[in-house]
Amino acid sequence: HASNSYKMKVRHFQKNMSYTVRPVTARDLPLLNEIAGKDAKNNIAHDEDVFQAEAAYFGPLGLEGCILETDAGQRAFILGYPDSQETFTMTMTKHDGSLPAQVTAVLVHELACQLSGKYRLINLEEDLGLPGLRRAKILYSPVDRLNVYEAIR
């Protein structure tokens, strides 16, 4: 079950933006690269490297995702991969910088709908132990949370 804050973000976006959503295919990789480039201000260190690695192994990783496009031509995407037969991990969201921040919640919602019935658990992207990302993940009211560990040499 999702928190009220998450649901409100999704409903607000759905009410105020006219958009379509479709599954990502390998043919969409140039478009995803273009969208990722427009989201450069929101990139975390190594995002570009992660995206390029995922794109290079799109088929072998079994990546799935969706592309959202507004009537105004703004675009966003979310990607992920199956960890196992019962768990899917969402790895990356990117969007046109002119879209409101709620688009991330909408992408998570839309991909979860697309995956409905295929996986028992959906894991949101790694929060890297960053407080802001961790708080954002908690808004989705997870059924479980993994402990954060740090390897020390």
Side-chain angles (χ1 to χ4, degrees):
H1 69 81
S3 73
N4 286 336
S5 175
Y6 163 75
K7 290 176 189 174
M8 285 175 33
K9 287 178 182 181
V10 172
R11 276 193 226 112
H12 182 267
F13 189 92
Q14 290 173 330
K15 180 179 174 186
N16 294 300
M17 302 289 283
S18 181
Y19 68 92
T20 58
V21 176
R22 65 178 176 80
V24 169
T25 68
R27 288 178 304 202
D28 292 316
L29 292 175
L31 174 60
L32 301 186
N33 194 40
E34 179 185 325
I35 296 167
K38 289 181 179 178
D39 195 29
K41 70 177 183 180
N42 293 318
N43 282 347
I44 296 173
H46 307 295
D47 265 6
E48 175 72 19
D49 295 336
V50 170
F51 173 75
Q52 294 304 326
E54 286 186 359
Y57 293 98
F58 185 88
L61 286 174
L63 286 179
E64 294 183 57
C66 59
I67 297 174
L68 177 149
E69 184 170 0
T70 69
D71 287 352
Q74 300 155 302
R75 296 181 178 135
F77 72 85
I78 185 168
L79 291 175
Y81 62 90
D83 282 329
S84 66
Q85 288 184 338
E86 76 173 20
T87 305
F88 185 89
T89 295
M90 295 180 181
T91 59
M92 179 175 292
T93 60
K94 294 289 174 192
H95 61 86
D96 182 311
S98 65
L99 282 166
Q102 295 103 337
V103 72
T104 299
V106 174
L107 287 166
V108 169
H109 170 78
E110 294 291 350
L111 184 55
C113 289
Q114 182 178 307
L115 299 171
S116 182
K118 288 177 76 173
Y119 303 96
R120 191 173 78 76
L121 298 170
I122 296 175
N123 181 29
L124 289 180
E125 64 189 321
E126 172 59 51
D127 62 36
L128 307 172
L130 299 172
L133 288 176
R134 193 136 183 95
R135 276 192 306 274
K137 286 178 71 169
I138 291 169
L139 289 177
Y140 294 102
S141 297
V143 294
D144 196 7
R145 289 185 7 204
L146 300 176
N147 292 324
V148 175
Y149 294 98
E150 183 176 337
I152 299 174
R153 196 173 202 172

